[in-house]
């Protein structure tokens, strides 16, 4: 994410999705594009691990897109980074994904 005037917000992400995340994108909630992959070409966000990302946006609401092994993806919208400092991605028994948010 780019932006020289915005302060960095940290979002700690726990991956309990059941799958490795190969690409991760974060942008302002109202943006149509996604920009660059935050993980980079040599990093895989393993299931069961955590990662903290610095977010530079001039809006408190973001959306996050995770692309998993095999190419499936999921998008979470309206994440208020002024209120939440962590996000846990969880796989439900039916295979669907949801996220829990909180403040540390």
């Amino acid at each position: 994410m780019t932006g020289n005037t915005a302060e960095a917000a940290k979002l700690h992400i726990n991956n309990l999705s059941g799958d490795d995340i190969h690409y991760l994108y974060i942008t302002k909630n109202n943006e149509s594009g996604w920009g660059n992959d935050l993980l980079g070409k040599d990093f895989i966000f393993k299931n069961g691990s955590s990662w903290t990302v610095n977010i530079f946006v001039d809006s408190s609401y973001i959306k996050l897109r995770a692309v998993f092994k095999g190419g499936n993806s999921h998008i979470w919208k309206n994440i208020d980074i002024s209120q939440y400092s962590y996000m846990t991605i969880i796989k439900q028994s039916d295979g669907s994904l949801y996220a829990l948010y909180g403040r540390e």
Side-chain angles (χ1 to χ4, degrees):
M1 311 210 80
T2 61
N4 295 332
T5 60
E7 288 190 34
K10 291 184 187 286
L11 183 64
H12 185 78
I13 305 170
N14 301 299
N15 180 11
L16 301 178
S17 68
D19 287 311
D20 296 341
I21 298 173
H22 287 246
Y23 305 98
L24 184 70
Y25 305 92
I26 296 176
T27 192
K28 290 192 292 189
N29 210 53
N30 60 355
E31 291 288 326
S32 59
W34 287 101
N36 295 326
D37 168 35
L38 297 176
L39 300 179
K41 67 177 187 162
D42 296 324
F43 183 75
I44 296 174
F45 187 3
K46 297 283 189 183
N47 178 56
S49 66
S50 299
W51 191 56
T52 300
V53 83
N54 291 316
I55 302 168
F56 296 92
V57 294
D58 57 2
S59 170
S60 64
Y61 287 93
I62 62 164
K63 61 184 176 181
L64 181 145
R65 178 178 178 225
V67 181
F68 298 91
K69 178 181 176 183
N72 293 329
S73 67
H74 193 89
I75 297 171
W76 292 270
K77 296 179 181 178
N78 299 313
I79 302 167
D80 186 353
I81 57 174
S82 71
Q83 296 295 317
Y84 303 122
S85 62
Y86 72 84
M87 171 184 186
T88 302
I89 301 169
I90 300 171
K91 186 178 207 171
Q92 299 184 94
S93 60
D94 66 359
S96 63
L97 296 174
Y98 73 99
L100 294 175
Y101 304 95
R103 189 147 210 52
E104 295 177 328

